[in-house]
Amino acid sequence: MNTCAFFVILVSTGLRTCEAQVCGRAPLENRIVGGSEAQMGAWPWQVDIQMDKSGHVCGGSLIARDWVLSAAHCFPNPSDVSQYSLYVGRHQLNGYNQYESQRRVSQVLVLADYEGPQKGSDVALVQLTQPVTWSEHVQPVCLPDAGVTFAGGTLCYVTGWGNTQEGVALSGVGTLQEVAVPIIDQTSCSSMYQVDTYDYEALDIGTDMICAGFQEGGKDSCQGDSGGPLVCPIGNNTWIQAGVVSFGLGCAQRNRPGVYAKVSAFATFIRSTVPDAQLLGQASMSRGTLTLVLGHALVLLLLS
């Protein structure tokens, strides 16, 4: 019997074909400023973006076997992708990574209205020259559909290999860092960025941005974390990406929380470009964890 025929009904789980992968699961989960070292395999969608002459420049997240979500400002000349290498399954920048694999870039797509991080639209879709192979250490992250919101105070995680302080690079073997930061609602974030504006022009936090951090500072993403994921839990060790590291003023300063590209604002762009990306609506987020688990179990049962 061709069991693939049965899987078509599992569209709501994101398992559209026999090869589809449940998103947002970190099966192995048991310095960003103020962060700590992540366990190996804790964030299996994390991508290291490097340039041949510069080394590590940005982060990204796997959203399909051959597509990565990152920030537009990580690709100042998106028509020239010849110098980029992407690593999946990587845990240490300068150490041995037995589960990693490398891919080159086929194309980078950014929105036509992108002018700079502080003006919004700071997302990039990066197509790999070859698809990756799913494993415990290489998994896609779930994405929010249009209209999905994340309430202020929601505790989320940002991950990356960026600086641990302003101007201080990650040291040693360069283990992937993680830090927990709460979502800050747009009004509060805008108000924070109006405080002590004598040294810069007041920033406008746009509707396609989302903030996360602490008013008192101390924990934040930093240079080198750009393009990486801000992910929030939706239960049962399932994660959804709320934001893409975009910009901030300094790192972990008081009244200067990190500003992220709001992924849900770009759902149409993502869906039209990457049909295999798994976007969850607000309703599916509330019941999606159980559906994802049951759907995945059914697939495994039918395959066996």
Side-chain angles (χ1 to χ4, degrees), residues 60-71:
S61 54
L62 274 169
I63 60 172
R65 292 182 68 221
D66 58 345
W67 286 94
V68 167
L69 176 63
S70 187

Side-chain angles (χ1 to χ4, degrees), residues 138-221:
V138 180
Q139 301 270 330
V141 68
C142 300
L143 303 177
D145 210 341
V148 169
T149 59
F150 295 87
T154 302
L155 194 62
C156 304
Y157 274 82
V158 59
T159 52
W161 289 280
N163 290 355
T164 56
Q165 297 179 47
E166 290 185 51
V168 180
L170 185 61
S171 61
V173 294
T175 301
L176 179 67
Q177 301 287 296
E178 62 181 25
V179 66
V181 287
I183 298 294
I184 298 175
D185 67 82
Q186 185 180 4
T187 300
S188 298
C189 186
S190 295
S191 297
M192 292 180 198
Y193 271 98
Q194 305 308 309
V195 176
D196 297 331
T197 58
Y198 54 86
D199 57 346
Y200 70 93
E201 184 178 347
L203 294 177
D204 179 27
I205 305 301
T207 57
D208 65 349
M209 303 173 187
I210 187 170
C211 300
F214 297 89
Q215 184 172 10
E216 65 272 21
K219 297 183 178 182
D220 196 7
S221 52

